[in-house]
Amino acid sequence: MHEEHNDQNPALTELRERLRVGLAGMRLNQTELAARAGLGRTTVSEALSRRKPLPSAHTVAALARALRLPVEDLLELQRNAEAGAGGGERAVPGRLIGEWDPHDLEVHPAGPGDAAPGPGVSGARVMPGYVRREHDRVLAGAVGDAAAGRSRAVVLVGGSSTGKTRACWEAVQPLAEKGWRLWHPFDPTRAQDALEDLPRVGPRTVVWLNEAQHYLGDRAAGERIGAALHRLLVTAECGPVLVLGTLWPEYAARYTALPTPGGEDPHSRVRELLAGRVLTVPETFDASALAAAAALAEGGDRLLAGALSRAGADGRLAQDLAGAPELLNRYRHATPAAAAVLEVAMDARRLGVGLHLPQAFLTDAAADYLSDTDYDRLTDDWAEHAFAELAALVHGKQAPLRRTTPRARRRPPSPSPAVHGPAPSTAGPVFRLADYLEQHGRTSRRQLCPPASFWHAAHTHLTDLDDLSNLTQAARTRYRLQWAHYLRQRAADLGNPYALASPAFRWEWAGDQEGAQALARQVLGNTNELVSRGFRLEEAGDREGAEAIYWRAADLGNPYALVGLAFGLEEAGDREGAEALARQVADRGNTDALVGLAEMRERAGDREGAQALARQVADHGPTGVSNTCVLERLWPYGLDPDGTPTPPWQR
């Protein structure tokens, strides 16, 4: 086809004839001409052959200089031949930027997608709104230079899925409006395609070298590609062109490293090419970029909104967006055993288990998530294979289920053991579910109740008191009442006295005083329980019993018990005793007692004394909402001693 089309292009025919005449006049063969012109032997052969496409402006200029022919005359023939090549195959590589789909240029899909993309349908995926960062400003400057006629090259360096390729795509959009072409060499291999067709690149072309290690790091062709790119950038006849590439930091460090004295220098031409042309892409979004992303999310961008909810805290939005579709694919196409482990983790997280999931719990709980057929096919080492499958990384260095090490909890020394707090974690490795899959599980499995193996594994392996408390509530609301009972008892056995408090209340209300008292003895350290019992005795008219309970709770370190007792004394007419108790609690640093004391003085008509106490509370700093309401009443706007209209606790 090339031969038939070339015969119909008079300018191309004349160009090749003049080159052949010049070659004969210089008495050179094609190998000698290639060496003199600084071109490859194949490039020279194709330039002279009637069966090959039109040579590039760079090739024509190099041949004209080597053969001592008028360069401008031959370049004019080349341009005329290019203009007349529209009816056949394109004379220069690439196609208009507007004809490309970004996903065909290896921009990672960001949405989950209902169907796998295929040829011609990849554009169906919706990309999230783009948030410009500092490297985008530098990249835009290079694009502006290229649009103005100056060839430029930029290689974006950053970790996996940090937004490098998307940044390149967004950057070239102004060139699309100017009719520029884009060439993405990849067939039959990236390196081979680049090496063969770089000499044919025409002006106003973007050379797209995503994952540039496949070009520059190729053992056989990398240095030759680096040299060809450098020649393309510095040869005026070829410009303007824009070379855009992406690299991981480890590759950039390898290619730019200086050789040791006397050692090999395998990347000298590539190092020269990269010098001054590397642009770093940060791993995370800074505060201004996160604010811009939040604005887009508020405007209806659901992809960005989801990424912010999962990764906004650490700023790794790009990695989250790039990894989300692949994480979901991993789940959908996982082996039955791996899928069962993932579903256990999803159910555990949505029902209130913490981030760190013990491997023993996940393995034991997975049994009932498998069908009878899949369960019968399990091998002895099925768990090892399942966890290995789920640990494989996807884009953004994420894994569906990754092993993690919980940080040690640092607390100030305490003279006595705390009532609250988790029990020591269970022995063995723990794992963390990917945030995206956790979010997916909360939606897709919200109406499903975990099977019996889940509750059994939780009772057997979980030791965190908060986890057990949350699962107790989850079991009760799903009418798994036996499991709720055993999980509550498990929490109590591990040292959580609050686990048994609610049953004590229910038994007391049902008239089972003996059972309630037995449970109350188990939760003797639960002072809030004691205060609640005191309130009920007080409401029943048993003031002496209530006072005894309050003093008992106070002896165990609960200051609110004395506050309640103080109010009781006030109601009984013992204002001096009430204020003495409130003052005793306040002296221990409890601002609630000061507020209560202020209310007592207000009720006694001592407005000035109440306001003085309100000022003392304000000096202690922020307080609760209910206390703030009391303070605003006692110390209204305009009474601030320094004349400001806002009370100190609201500044």
Side-chain angles (χ1 to χ4, degrees):
M1 176 174 289
H2 281 297
E3 182 178 0
E4 178 183 351
H5 177 64
N6 292 343
D7 290 341
Q8 299 174 4
N9 192 327
L12 180 56
T13 301
E14 181 180 352
L15 171 64
R16 284 196 165 119
E17 181 60 27
R18 293 182 65 174
L19 289 174
R20 280 192 290 268
V21 169
L23 180 63
M26 292 289 292
R27 297 184 178 181
L28 299 173
N29 59 36
Q30 292 186 10
T31 301
E32 293 169 335
L33 176 58
R36 178 173 293 192
L39 300 172
R41 173 67 174 77
T42 301
T43 300
V44 172
S45 174
E46 291 182 350
L48 298 173
S49 172
R50 293 171 53 245
R51 299 177 179 273
K52 298 297 181 179
L54 170 71
S56 68
H58 168 263
T59 298
V60 170
L63 292 175
R65 284 191 290 266
L67 296 174
R68 300 174 184 174
L69 299 173
V71 176
E72 288 303 322
D73 289 353
L74 266 65
L75 285 176
E76 181 67 21
L77 285 173
Q78 193 272 347
R79 286 191 288 270
N80 292 338
E82 184 177 4
E89 293 189 36
R90 287 183 171 91
V92 293
R95 61 178 188 260
L96 293 175
I97 294 174
E99 297 177 8
W100 284 97
D101 182 279
H103 300 306
D104 293 334
L105 295 173
E106 300 169 337
V107 175
H108 293 315
D114 294 328
V121 299
S122 58
R125 288 186 179 272
V126 177
M127 292 198 298
Y130 190 68
V131 177
R132 299 193 179 278
R133 296 182 276 169
E134 179 60 25
H135 62 274
D136 293 290
R137 183 186 63 79
V138 179
L139 191 55
V143 172
D145 287 344
R150 298 180 292 274
S151 294
R152 290 289 183 266
V154 181
V155 177
L156 275 65
V157 175
S160 172
S161 303
T162 50
K164 304 183 297 294
T165 313
R166 176 71 186 275
C168 291
W169 171 252
E170 296 294 334
V172 301
Q173 296 312 300
L175 299 180
E177 300 171 1
K178 299 180 181 296
W180 276 54
R181 305 163 72 83
L182 186 147
W183 174 48
H184 179 208
F186 61 87
D187 183 38
T189 66
R190 300 190 194 217
Q192 183 177 345
D193 194 9
L195 192 61
E196 290 181 356
D197 282 352
L198 271 171
R200 296 198 300 111
V201 171
R204 294 159 52 86
T205 298
V206 176
V207 180
W208 189 270
L209 303 180
N210 192 48
E211 303 287 357
Q213 69 271 14
H214 296 301
Y215 306 94
L216 305 178
D218 186 274
R219 291 186 177 182
E223 284 289 88
R224 295 170 64 190
I225 292 174
L229 287 168
H230 191 267
R231 183 173 61 237
L232 182 66
L233 291 166
V234 301
T235 304
E237 295 88 350
C238 299
V241 296
L242 176 64
V243 178
L244 292 180
T246 66
L247 278 174
W248 286 2
E250 49 265 41
Y251 290 116
R254 182 187 308 170
Y255 302 151
T256 57
L258 294 175
T260 58
E264 295 184 359
D265 190 6
H267 304 297
S268 62
R269 302 306 297 268
V270 173
R271 185 171 62 252
E272 180 183 357
L273 174 69
L274 294 179
R277 297 186 173 108
V278 169
L279 178 60
T280 300
V281 177
E283 292 279 331
T284 60
F285 282 44
D286 60 17
S288 60
L290 287 173
L296 291 173
E298 290 175 2
D301 193 315
R302 292 189 296 175
L303 291 175
L304 275 178
L308 283 167
S309 70
R310 297 184 297 268
D314 59 11
R316 296 172 64 85
L317 297 192
Q319 296 90 328
D320 181 274
L321 289 166
E326 188 58 28
L327 286 171
L328 192 57
N329 284 335
R330 285 285 186 87
Y331 168 49
R332 288 173 171 171
H333 302 296
T335 60
V341 171
L342 276 183
E343 288 170 357
V344 171
M346 290 179 188
D347 286 348
R349 289 294 293 134
R350 70 185 176 90
L351 297 186
V353 180
L355 289 173
H356 305 117
L357 306 171
Q359 184 179 34
F361 161 70
L362 295 171
T363 304
D364 196 9
D368 290 351
Y369 286 77
L370 295 163
S371 67
D372 290 342
T373 301
D374 291 330
Y375 185 82
D376 291 340
R377 291 176 178 173
L378 292 179
T379 59
D380 292 341
D381 57 352
W382 72 267
E384 179 181 347
H385 288 291
F387 282 97
E389 176 184 340
L390 298 176
L393 298 178
V394 302
H395 297 311
K397 297 182 180 179
Q398 301 180 76
L401 192 70
R402 61 181 175 85
R403 184 168 177 174
T404 185
T405 302
R407 294 179 184 269
R409 298 187 179 184
R410 312 294 185 187
R411 292 190 177 92
S414 175
S416 59
V419 176
H420 294 287
S425 59
T426 187
V430 294
F431 289 79
R432 178 168 177 173
L433 179 66
D435 291 341
Y436 182 79
L437 291 180
E438 177 185 331
Q439 197 172 68
H440 175 74
R442 291 182 186 276
T443 302
S444 63
R445 300 183 61 79
R446 65 181 180 275
Q447 295 181 346
L448 300 178
C449 182
S453 62
F454 176 90
W455 306 107
H456 179 273
H459 179 265
T460 304
H461 300 290
L462 297 186
T463 59
D464 185 277
L465 301 182
D466 290 335
D467 293 349
L468 291 169
S469 176
N470 292 336
L471 288 182
T472 297
Q473 180 62 29
R476 186 162 55 243
T477 58
R478 287 161 179 78
Y479 296 98
R480 300 309 191 259
L481 300 182
Q482 285 185 310
W483 284 119
H485 168 73
Y486 287 116
L487 288 168
R488 183 186 300 111
Q489 187 63 54
R490 166 83 164 160
D493 293 342
L494 290 171
N496 182 4
Y498 295 98
L500 300 176
S502 294
F505 278 163
R506 287 199 298 273
W507 288 357
E508 184 176 13
W509 293 334
D512 186 357
Q513 294 292 331
E514 183 177 349
Q517 291 174 5
L519 278 176
R521 284 193 292 271
Q522 295 185 49
V523 294
L524 184 60
N526 186 344
T527 57
N528 288 335
E529 178 79 7
L530 293 174
V531 172
S532 298
R533 290 173 61 82
F535 285 156
R536 291 200 305 280
L537 289 175
E538 193 173 0
E539 291 173 355
D542 185 2
R543 174 155 296 281
E544 291 185 3
E547 288 184 8
I549 290 289
Y550 288 148
W551 280 111
R552 187 176 185 184
D555 291 339
L556 291 171
N558 190 327
Y560 298 98
L562 294 180
V563 174
L565 182 56
F567 279 125
L569 291 174
E570 184 193 26
E571 291 179 5
D574 186 1
R575 181 186 169 194
E576 290 184 4
E579 289 199 8
L581 272 176
R583 174 58 65 183
Q584 182 180 348
V585 180
D587 290 343
R588 299 181 183 181
N590 187 280
T591 57
D592 291 322
L594 286 175
V595 174
L597 188 55
E599 288 186 284
M600 291 180 191
R601 290 189 177 178
E602 182 188 30
R603 286 192 290 269
D606 185 4
R607 178 78 176 178
E608 184 177 348
Q611 290 180 351
L613 285 170
R615 289 185 176 91
Q616 291 184 41
V617 176
D619 291 340
H620 282 79
T623 185
V625 174
S626 61
N627 287 349
T628 300
C629 295
V630 175
L631 296 179
E632 288 179 352
R633 186 182 74 252
L634 295 177
W635 190 2
Y637 298 117
L639 293 181
D640 194 335
D642 63 6
T644 58
T646 305
W649 59 85
Q650 287 191 342
R651 289 176 190 167

